[in-house]
Amino acid sequence: MKEAENSSPAPGPMRRILGNFGLLVRGRGIAAVMAFGATALMARALGPAEFGVVVLIETYALLARGLLSFKQFQGIVRYGVALHDANDKQALQRLLSICQRIDRYACVISTILALILAPLIGKLMGMNQDHVILLTAYSLVLLVTGNNTAIGILRLFDKFDILGRQMTVGPAITFIGVFFAWWFDSPMSVFVAVLAFAYVTENLYLSWCGRREYRQHFDKPVEGGMVSLAGMTEFPGLRHFLWVTYWQSNVDLVPKRITLMFTGYLLGATEVGLFRLARQISSLLSKPATLIRQVVFPDLTRSWHSGSDDFKLIAYRTALIGAGAGLLLVLVGYFFGDLLLEVIFGKEFVGAAGLLTLLLLAGAFDLAAASLRSAAYAIGHAGKVLRLHMLSAIIYLVLFIALTSQMGLVGAGWAACIAAALPAIAMALLIRQSTPGANV
């Protein structure tokens, strides 16, 4: 009886979400400061043109990996939460085995394709032979990126503290390496090598954390093992869900990666450097949006299946908090953007001030839509969300090409704002029409 009296009640959904979000923001905040410092030093050391080439090299590798990323961690949460709560270790092990197998195939295939296409893409971006060699060599980092399953394991077992620490590994190494490269006035190739080493290290650390957590919960195969023979047919709807999240992740690549490559093709490496800096600052909103989706998804899934009234409360309240925080940063960018760019990066980068304000506004829409997207996934409307974002991505690309060709980088900002507003409004209406606990 005493034990029951002394035991504290389990935290409510909003409190648990805010706690996990705080763990991720703490790690992401430290990482953002170091990444921002590294970017500032690199931009000052290389200038807009060479800095733009480095951005294109890094973006190409991330794009190649992203195009073959199935985001299995979403599937692990979507199908693993119920298995974990029911203590069905056998089924959960088999689910993780399927996702790990996808990871292995995806990282090998993406590496091979990146190596083959690097010379062609490099020439399209206007790179010289030395830059193409760097682009090809950097593609080898993709061999260590098979860690979607590790992310899923850590999220499933509520290890957001580990994910928060992992976020600081790459930026810390990047900042230290870039600082010494800047101090010794190193050539561009050294900066590229620093980025590659940091990227490899953070991915290896994440994979190690995932394996360690797996061993703690599954020290040996459970009875009826042979998890390596597990197939997707054992989990009805898993194949469709992973396919939907795969295309959703590709749609997300449009504003993150593909537009940078288009900027290099349409405007040149110098404008890529300006675009990257504006996006680096606006990531103060886009990165928290990603973290919100990660944190609220498990609780929204539980609330939906239990028919709890907390479902819409979590989704809408989180959206309003995100929108309010985003609009404050938009005002800062509008009044002080040019001053910030000049002080931090130098006068050559002041031309990105107008784009910065518009990207911050687009980020505010993304921040508001983050919890709404997770809510739509929990309901079972992943397919509708995918079609919505595909439409938004098509609109964005059309507007991006048209407006950027006519207005320069500012046109890219207007395209981002219009495309970001559409999904937020549509998903809010979709959730409003749904009832927790209903079969969709």
Side-chain angles (χ1 to χ4, degrees), residues 111-127:
T111 304
I112 293 173
L113 290 177
L115 290 171
I116 292 173
L117 296 176
L120 174 62
I121 299 299
K123 290 180 180 178
L124 288 175
M125 296 297 109
M127 296 182 178

Side-chain angles (χ1 to χ4, degrees), residues 157-181:
F157 294 113
D158 211 30
K159 297 299 180 180
F160 288 93
D161 55 335
I162 297 177
L163 288 170
R165 288 196 298 272
Q166 183 271 334
M167 291 175 182
T168 67
V169 174
I173 295 172
T174 300
F175 178 78
I176 295 171
V178 167
F179 175 80
F180 283 106

Side-chain angles (χ1 to χ4, degrees), residues 67-89:
L67 289 174
L68 281 172
S69 176
F70 287 84
K71 303 293 182 184
Q72 301 96 282
F73 55 83
Q74 299 277 20
I76 291 173
V77 173
R78 176 68 176 81
Y79 289 86
V81 163
L83 298 175
H84 174 55
D85 291 349
N87 198 31
D88 190 348
K89 288 190 174 183

Side-chain angles (χ1 to χ4, degrees), residues 122-143:
K123 290 180 180 178
L124 288 175
M125 296 297 109
M127 296 182 178
N128 60 36
Q129 188 61 32
D130 291 338
H131 296 162
V132 170
I133 292 174
L134 284 175
L135 180 67
T136 305
Y138 191 87
S139 300
L140 292 171
V141 303
L142 299 179
L143 286 171

Side-chain angles (χ1 to χ4, degrees), residues 112-356:
I112 293 173
L113 290 177
L115 290 171
I116 292 173
L117 296 176
L120 174 62
I121 299 299
K123 290 180 180 178
L124 288 175
M125 296 297 109
M127 296 182 178
N128 60 36
Q129 188 61 32
D130 291 338
H131 296 162
V132 170
I133 292 174
L134 284 175
L135 180 67
T136 305
Y138 191 87
S139 300
L140 292 171
V141 303
L142 299 179
L143 286 171
V144 299
T145 56
N147 49 36
N148 275 304
T149 304
I151 297 172
I153 291 171
L154 295 173
R155 288 175 59 184
L156 179 65
F157 294 113
D158 211 30
K159 297 299 180 180
F160 288 93
D161 55 335
I162 297 177
L163 288 170
R165 288 196 298 272
Q166 183 271 334
M167 291 175 182
T168 67
V169 174
I173 295 172
T174 300
F175 178 78
I176 295 171
V178 167
F179 175 80
F180 283 106
W182 167 76
W183 183 267
F184 291 106
D185 197 22
S186 302
M188 186 183 72
S189 58
V190 174
F191 289 92
V192 174
V194 168
L195 293 176
F197 179 74
Y199 188 66
V200 169
T201 303
E202 70 176 359
N203 276 277
L204 289 176
Y205 176 73
L206 178 57
S207 296
W208 178 77
C209 288
R211 286 196 299 271
R212 182 183 62 179
E213 190 65 26
Y214 181 88
R215 287 194 296 268
Q216 290 179 358
H217 292 273
F218 308 101
D219 52 349
K220 60 182 180 179
V222 294
E223 186 178 352
M226 295 302 290
V227 295
S228 61
L229 300 179
M232 288 193 187
T233 55
E234 300 176 29
F235 304 93
L238 176 61
R239 186 187 302 274
H240 174 73
F241 184 84
L242 291 179
W243 193 243
V244 168
T245 54
Y246 166 74
W247 285 109
Q248 180 68 69
S249 67
N250 282 338
V251 170
D252 291 341
L253 287 174
V254 172
K256 293 179 181 178
R257 315 292 181 206
I258 294 177
T259 49
L260 278 174
M261 303 299 288
F262 267 115
T263 302
Y265 179 73
L266 293 172
L267 302 177
T270 299
E271 282 71 17
V272 170
L274 297 177
F275 197 175
R276 168 60 184 275
L277 290 184
R279 180 169 291 168
Q280 182 89 17
I281 299 175
S282 67
S283 67
L284 292 170
L285 298 179
S286 61
K287 289 181 179 178
T290 303
L291 301 184
I292 289 174
R293 289 200 299 267
Q294 294 178 11
V295 169
V296 301
F297 188 35
D299 282 288
L300 284 171
T301 301
R302 287 189 176 96
S303 297
W304 174 258
H305 286 300
S306 65
S308 172
D309 293 334
D310 290 332
F311 179 79
K312 291 186 179 180
L313 176 66
I314 294 170
Y316 288 135
R317 183 177 292 180
T318 308
L320 290 174
I321 293 173
L327 290 176
L328 287 177
L329 285 180
V330 172
L331 293 175
V332 172
Y334 180 78
F335 289 106
F336 304 106
D338 53 352
L339 179 62
L340 287 172
L341 290 169
E342 181 176 356
V343 170
I344 298 173
F345 302 108
K347 290 184 178 180
E348 303 122 307
F349 297 95
V350 173
L355 172 64
L356 172 61

